[in-house]
Amino acid sequence: MSRATENTDFDCAACGRHVPALTNGSYRNHCPHCLSSVHVDVRPGDRASHCHGIMRAVAVDYHPKKGFQLVHECQGCGHRQKNKVAEHCRVPDDRDLILALQARNTPWG
Ligand SMILES: [Zn+2]
Ligand SMILES: [Zn+2]
């Protein structure tokens, strides 16, 4: 089985922790420890942005087909992008952080 070149380990630009590649076949673009990402894409996966600002998770969205998605907002330019929550893998996204984000964005929170 060959490993996709984009799906490699990296060190998080926001919290500095090591982020292992996803093992469930998806492409990981954010940190499971602090949920932050880096603004490198104009469209998901294209690496066409030169901003390179830190993108922080600001909300959680639920899509009936795609499941839970994090809403990332760039601290550099304000660009917003949705990313699938990483689950069922070696290092899944921090569930407590996701729940806290979700609670902040519901009328019941
Ligand atoms: Zn991080
Ligand atoms: Zn940006």
Side-chain angles (χ1 to χ4, degrees):
M1 204 170 88
S2 75
R3 205 161 103 157
T5 46
E6 296 85 29
N7 197 22
T8 52
D9 294 17
F10 63 93
D11 289 322
C12 175
C15 71
R17 291 182 68 173
H18 188 70
V19 181
L22 275 186
T23 48
N24 64 354
S26 333
Y27 162 56
R28 163 161 268 157
N29 61 2
H30 60 268
C31 172
H33 311 298
C34 70
L35 308 181
S36 294
S37 178
V38 176
H39 189 188
V40 291
D41 297 334
V42 175
R43 290 162 188 270
D46 69 3
R47 305 254 151 189
S49 173
H50 299 291
C51 174
H52 293 192
I54 289 186
M55 299 190 77
R56 292 203 183 274
V58 293
V60 178
D61 205 41
Y62 182 74
H63 187 283
K65 283 197 179 118
K66 294 176 187 168
F68 285 99
Q69 293 178 295
L70 292 170
V71 180
H72 279 114
E73 188 176 80
C74 180
Q75 306 296 290
C77 70
H79 174 76
R80 279 190 170 214
Q81 193 170 290
K82 286 180 187 170
N83 290 293
K84 249 183 91 173
V85 168
E87 298 176 290
H88 313 300
C89 55
R90 189 153 49 118
V91 185
D93 288 350
D94 190 313
R95 205 164 276 251
D96 292 338
L97 282 180
I98 292 170
L99 289 175
L101 270 180
Q102 199 178 18
R104 235 205 287 161
N105 288 282
T106 59
W108 317 281

